[in-house]
Amino acid sequence: MVPPRLSVVSDNSRGIDVMSANDDADNAHERTVPDALSDPEAAVDRLSKAARREKLRRLEALLFASTEPVDAKSLMRCLDAGDDVNALLKELQDDYKDRGVALVRVAGRWQFRTADDLSYLLERQQKEERKLSKAALETLAIIAYHQPVTRAEIEEIRGVSTSPGTLDVLMETAWIRPRGRRRAPGRPLTYGTTETFLVHFGLDTIKDLPGLADLKAAGLLDANLPPNFTMPAPTDVATLMPDELPLSDDGDEDAEEEQASLPLDEDGGEDEDRAEPPDSEAG
């Protein structure tokens, strides 16, 4: 009986597959190189767009991670020297224009915030915030539009005396601050708004406060105003004005002493006003 013959046949299919894959990669590379060489401007444009997208991603990451508004100088650290950070922020702001969050500028800084029309989704009904009294709102408005202004000037504009507690409440909220002292007898304190005020009300600068036309359109002013009625242009200069003196080292203590020296209301309320009593006629 003759044993069967065994013949070994080489299997070159695997090698053929590997060679075919390498050939495809080489062909793709050979096709890409001529394309880049044939249109170098398009290749440079693609690289430029990719680099710009990467810079936008860096700004986006930093702004999302921050719980407070970030200024442009801090954001420049993640970019290259010579990059226009304001142009990049404006482009990023346009990208988020129709999204659930928006990139806004407050107090000269940048922050992601919930879109205005969706803010109701994040409201917390169980937390009741304390509302300011009418006297405090009027005082805050006068300080915002007339700063720097003294307590006596506030009372002159309002026409009634202002309780010391009203200014205390506004300073507790960190919306106003003592700026300096007026160059006048008694050196009264001057007050102005703070950066916290701008952030809370979503303002970039104090000049973004509504003007006369805006207040009329909102129905907050009477339509029958005097012909010569005007509104001051709000300003918030960090440096002291020529008629202001700097606060002393114990300026805060002086402010507290000035507030404590003023009489309080009989009912002890902080936000109520005391009208000036009329002059009595001699009998």
Side-chain angles (χ1 to χ4, degrees):
M1 181 176 179
V2 179
R5 288 186 173 184
L6 299 177
S7 59
V8 179
V9 180
S10 61
D11 185 4
N12 295 328
S13 59
R14 182 177 180 182
I16 293 173
D17 293 340
V18 174
M19 293 175 61
S20 177
N22 293 335
D23 292 341
D24 292 340
D26 293 339
N27 292 335
H29 177 70
E30 292 175 358
R31 287 194 302 270
T32 304
V33 173
D35 290 343
L37 295 176
S38 62
D39 194 358
E41 294 183 358
V44 172
D45 186 56
R46 285 196 298 269
L47 293 175
S48 177
K49 289 182 178 179
R52 193 172 185 85
R53 284 196 301 270
E54 177 61 23
K55 294 172 183 178
L56 291 175
R57 291 179 65 245
R58 294 178 185 179
L59 294 175
E60 185 180 31
L62 287 177
L63 290 168
F64 262 122
S66 177
T67 57
E68 300 293 335
V70 186
D71 56 24
K73 185 177 180 181
S74 300
L75 294 172
M76 273 294 299
R77 298 174 185 172
C78 71
L79 303 176
D80 299 330
D83 287 339
D84 190 350
V85 63
N86 291 320
L88 291 169
L89 287 169
K90 185 64 174 64
E91 183 176 345
L92 191 61
Q93 187 180 45
D94 293 339
D95 291 342
Y96 277 86
K97 183 171 56 177
D98 299 323
R99 300 192 186 183
V101 293
L103 181 60
V104 297
R105 180 171 174 169
V106 292
R109 303 181 180 184
W110 296 86
Q111 184 182 37
F112 276 115
R113 287 190 171 186
T114 305
D116 293 338
D117 58 333
L118 300 178
S119 59
Y120 70 94
L121 296 174
L122 303 181
E123 290 181 354
R124 286 189 172 183
Q125 302 296 336
Q126 69 272 18
K127 184 178 180 180
E128 183 178 357
E129 297 182 357
R130 179 183 177 185
K131 294 183 179 180
L132 292 178
S133 66
K134 182 180 178 181
L137 289 174
E138 291 177 356
T139 303
L140 179 62
I142 291 172
I143 294 174
Y145 280 93
H146 293 266
Q147 58 185 306
V149 62
T150 65
R151 181 175 180 269
E153 292 167 346
I154 295 172
E155 293 178 347
E156 181 181 358
I157 295 172
R158 295 189 63 214
V160 293
S161 298
T162 301
S163 169
T166 301
L167 293 173
D168 291 340
V169 169
L170 294 177
M171 283 193 287
E172 286 176 4
T173 59
W175 288 351
I176 66 170
R177 64 180 178 88
R179 285 175 47 95
R181 292 188 176 275
R182 183 77 75 207
R183 294 180 184 269
R187 297 195 307 158
L189 283 170
T190 57
Y191 297 94
T193 55
T194 64
E195 184 177 305
T196 305
F197 170 84
L198 297 177
V199 173
H200 180 83
F201 290 97
L203 303 174
D204 184 18
T205 65
I206 199 68
K207 295 181 180 180
D208 293 333
L209 283 171
L212 181 59
D214 299 326
L215 294 176
K216 282 184 177 180
L220 299 177
L221 287 179
D222 189 357
N224 299 322
L225 293 174
N228 58 346
F229 181 83
T230 59
M231 287 185 59
T235 58
D236 183 16
V237 182
T239 57
L240 296 178
M241 303 297 286
D243 61 345
E244 287 182 291
L245 292 169
L247 291 170
S248 58
D249 295 338
D250 56 348
D252 292 340
E253 297 178 2
D254 292 343
E256 293 178 0
E257 291 176 0
E258 178 178 305
Q259 298 289 341
S261 64
L262 296 172
L264 293 174
D265 300 334
E266 295 181 358
D267 57 357
E270 291 184 347
D271 300 331
E272 297 297 329
D273 294 334
R274 295 175 289 106
E276 295 289 348
D279 295 336
S280 59
E281 298 180 359

